[in-house]
Amino acid sequence: MQNRKNRKGAVLFTDYNRGRSIKKALSMSREEVLFEIKESKLKGRGGAGFPTSTKWMLTAAAKSDVKYVICNADEGEPGTFKDRVLLSEYPDLVFDGMVIAGYVIGAKEGIVYLRGEYEYMLDSLNEYLEVIRKENLLGKNILGKDKSKEGFDFDIRIHLGNGAYVCGEETALIESLEGHRGEARNRPPFPVNSGFKGKPTTVNNVETLAAVTKIIENSGKWYQEHGTDKSTGSKLFSVSGDCEKPGVYELPWGTKISELLKIVSAKNTKAVQVGGASGICLDKSQFNRTLGYEDMPTGGSIIVFNESRNMLKVLKNFMEFFVEESCGQCTPCRIGNVKLLEGVKMIERNEFTFNYINKLKELGATMQVASKCGLGQSSPNSFISILENFKDEILNTGLNSTSFGNGGNNGK
Ligand SMILES: Cc1cc2nc3c(=O)[nH]c(=O)nc-3n(C[C@H](O)[C@H](O)[C@H](O)COP(=O)(O)O)c2cc1C
């Protein structure tokens, strides 16, 4: 198993004295803090990769006396567990990042939307909030900023999710926070203008907020020096599956899949799923690909499969997940995922035609553009990539599963 030393990186998993970046940020103007974030070229770590400085600038510019910072700690993507490590081992980085976000956008309240399954962390996180409140890193007039004028007030509360994958999507998350059923909203308006309770809201991933703390501590220029030109800084990868050292690793963006496989001691690797169930499945010929926005952007879930794995079963498992987790609000996602799963089962029973499988791939492509939110837009990724990259194995699994059906024979 991985020990803590393995996961150490150059940016996030480093020593930090809590409150240090808050102190520094409060000695700067809001514009100066925003400048550092912009210079860092930080992109959101929740998966979509939206520039953090742009999101904050838009929320700061939105006209309202009440604004919110939301920390997205839903972490529902299969194979992702890096935010859990950040929250349990580096809560100072995350909460300081929220305070800095609140300062920049002009919010007084921050909410952590915590994955329901992480309930076990709730008491210790609340105790930690109490400690930093006592240190005046949270609450009224934080660190006595502008004592002469109006102080900077900001507090954080934790809201427990209830186990729905879609509630990681920022607008469904906001609906859920408001006490409604977790369903994605129409956009526009975007949360930066009309988010929680209709007020301007910035929603950021746990890792994004932790990175902010390190950027303010060390400068945007320093952050930019890590990683690559388009993918600055480091990235946390949650690595699971067939390897000797699964765990959370901080690596520079620009790391190749093959390098990562060596680091985690993966042997006889057949496939690597990058980005969780909603990501892309690579075969051996693609292990020279690079993790980063230039090539393979990802929220950080890496699942390793060795030669013993049956890729049709892997795909079936992913599609069952999406059928279960589709909120059912839009037709492409509600019906599309069921159809894709049916297709997998048809291959399994050897009752498929190539023509029908190709039609399902087209359906997947339609879902990618016609679904209302990122769930249905990304759920066909594994269907399409596994069928393309492991075509022979998949179709042979079907052909071998019964004596012989109309599958390969039909070929239309
Ligand atoms: C189905 C679905 C689930 C998501 N789950 C998460 C999640 O668990 N955590 C997260 O930070 N972002 C998640 N996102 C992305 C969020 O909608 C949003 O882009 C992100 O929280 C923004 O933060 P960032 O700019 O810091 O990346 C999810 C998106 C979709 C479509």
Side-chain angles (χ1 to χ4, degrees):
M1 277 300 284
Q2 184 196 33
N3 63 34
R4 279 185 183 204
K5 231 168 80 199
N6 284 340
R7 69 163 71 124
K8 284 275 183 197
V11 178
L12 290 178
F13 292 156
T14 52
D15 294 337
Y16 174 69
N17 290 333
R18 71 168 167 255
R20 195 170 164 190
S21 296
I22 297 183
K23 200 168 176 186
K24 195 164 166 195
L26 296 189
S27 72
M28 298 157 74
S29 70
R30 296 178 156 86
E31 292 73 24
E32 283 167 341
V33 177
L34 199 54
F35 174 83
E36 292 299 329
I37 306 298
K38 190 168 179 199
E39 184 151 87
S40 74
K41 298 194 197 163
L42 174 66
K43 291 184 176 140
R45 300 306 198 222
F50 192 80
T52 306
S53 63
T54 309
K55 190 179 279 188
W56 287 17
M57 196 187 62
L58 292 169
T59 324
K63 289 202 170 38
S64 174
D65 291 341
V66 180
K67 298 181 185 182
Y68 295 99
V69 173
I70 294 177
C71 169
N72 189 344
D74 195 54
E75 194 157 61
E77 184 67 48
T80 312
F81 39 93
K82 52 147 187 119
D83 293 341
R84 183 185 68 186
V85 169
L86 275 175
L87 279 168
S88 51
E89 295 180 27
Y90 299 83
D92 42 3
L93 293 184
V94 182
F95 292 141
D96 284 15
M98 289 181 76
V99 174
I100 295 166
Y103 176 60
V104 171
I105 69 161
K108 289 191 169 58
E109 188 177 349
I111 305 162
V112 178
Y113 188 91
L114 186 68
R115 180 187 169 127
E117 291 87 340
Y118 294 169
E119 188 177 2
Y120 70 92
M121 271 193 242
L122 193 59
D123 287 348
S124 60
L125 288 175
N126 275 325
E127 278 164 25
Y128 184 82
L129 287 175
E130 209 36 62
V131 169
I132 56 177
R133 238 173 242 128
K134 285 197 179 115
E135 292 175 2
N136 196 215
L137 294 169
L138 211 57
K140 292 259 173 237
N141 196 21
I142 293 179
L143 293 180
K145 163 84 179 162
D146 287 344
K147 262 193 182 129
S148 53
K149 302 183 213 147
E150 208 183 315
F152 167 54
D153 304 342
F154 187 81
D155 215 324
I156 296 175
R157 68 179 168 91
I158 303 175
H159 180 101
L160 209 55
N162 208 9
Y165 173 61
V166 75
C167 287
E169 194 282 333
E170 58 184 9
T171 61
L173 181 157
I174 291 169
E175 283 289 304
S176 159
L177 259 185
E178 291 179 359
H180 307 140
R181 191 184 154 99
E183 289 181 344
R185 290 179 176 173
N186 287 328
R187 281 170 290 187
F190 291 92
V192 290
N193 291 115
S194 178
F196 183 50
K197 296 184 182 165
K199 303 294 180 191
T201 304
T202 180
V203 182
N204 280 120
N205 174 252
V206 172
E207 186 184 347
T208 312
L209 292 160
V212 160
T213 301
K214 282 293 176 177
I215 290 165
I216 297 306
E217 185 190 26
N218 298 283
S219 86
K221 202 163 179 312
W222 166 86
Y223 190 79
Q224 215 194 91
E225 281 158 11
H226 297 88
T228 69
D229 190 33
K230 286 194 184 137
S231 317
T232 57
S234 66
K235 180 78 192 85
L236 298 188
F237 295 99
S238 319
V239 188
S240 62
D242 298 317
C243 60
E244 284 170 20
K245 297 178 192 160
V248 176
Y249 290 82
E250 179 178 10
L251 298 172
W253 277 123
T255 301
K256 285 192 183 305
I257 302 281
S258 54
E259 291 166 340
L260 187 141
L261 290 173
K262 264 192 211 140
I263 293 169
V264 303
S265 296
K267 310 252 160 56
N268 301 320
T269 307
K270 170 159 80 173
V272 177
Q273 179 78 16
V274 181
S278 66
I280 305 281
C281 196
L282 305 178
D283 67 9
K284 267 186 193 158
S285 72
Q286 296 165 300
F287 291 173
N288 62 348
R289 293 188 65 178
T290 303
L291 295 159
Y293 297 101
E294 290 88 345
D295 186 13
M296 294 286 309
T298 170
S301 160
I302 305 279
I303 311 173
V304 183
F305 298 104
N306 70 19
E307 294 290 354
S308 73
R309 303 293 165 183
N310 176 325
M311 296 313 289
L312 188 64
K313 283 193 180 155
V314 169
L315 178 56
K316 187 176 176 192
N317 181 278
F318 288 160
M319 293 321 304
E320 281 171 345
F321 171 77
F322 290 123
V323 168
E324 175 80 21
E325 293 295 339
S326 171
C327 80
Q329 189 191 177
C330 77
T331 313
C333 181
R334 184 183 64 244
I335 310 285
N337 283 309
V338 171
K339 288 286 162 200
L340 298 188
L341 176 60
E342 263 174 30
V344 173
K345 289 181 178 166
M346 285 163 81
I347 298 176
E348 210 175 38
R349 294 194 306 267
N350 192 21
E351 288 172 5
F352 66 97
T353 65
F354 291 130
N355 192 26
Y356 189 64
I357 297 302
N358 284 333
K359 288 268 173 251
L360 287 180
K361 275 164 64 184
E362 284 172 23
L363 170 67
T366 304
M367 290 165 66
Q368 286 172 328
V369 290
S371 297
K372 182 169 175 180
C373 85
L375 199 162
Q377 288 161 9
S378 60
S379 62
N381 289 345
S382 47
F383 184 89
I384 294 172
S385 60
I386 290 180
L387 276 173
E388 274 171 8
N389 294 331
F390 300 91
K391 189 174 166 198
D392 292 345
E393 178 191 328
I394 295 282
L395 299 182
N396 278 332
T397 308
L399 295 176
N400 292 334
S401 63
T402 58
S403 50
F404 191 71
N406 62 0
N409 221 6
N410 216 334
K412 288 181 207 154

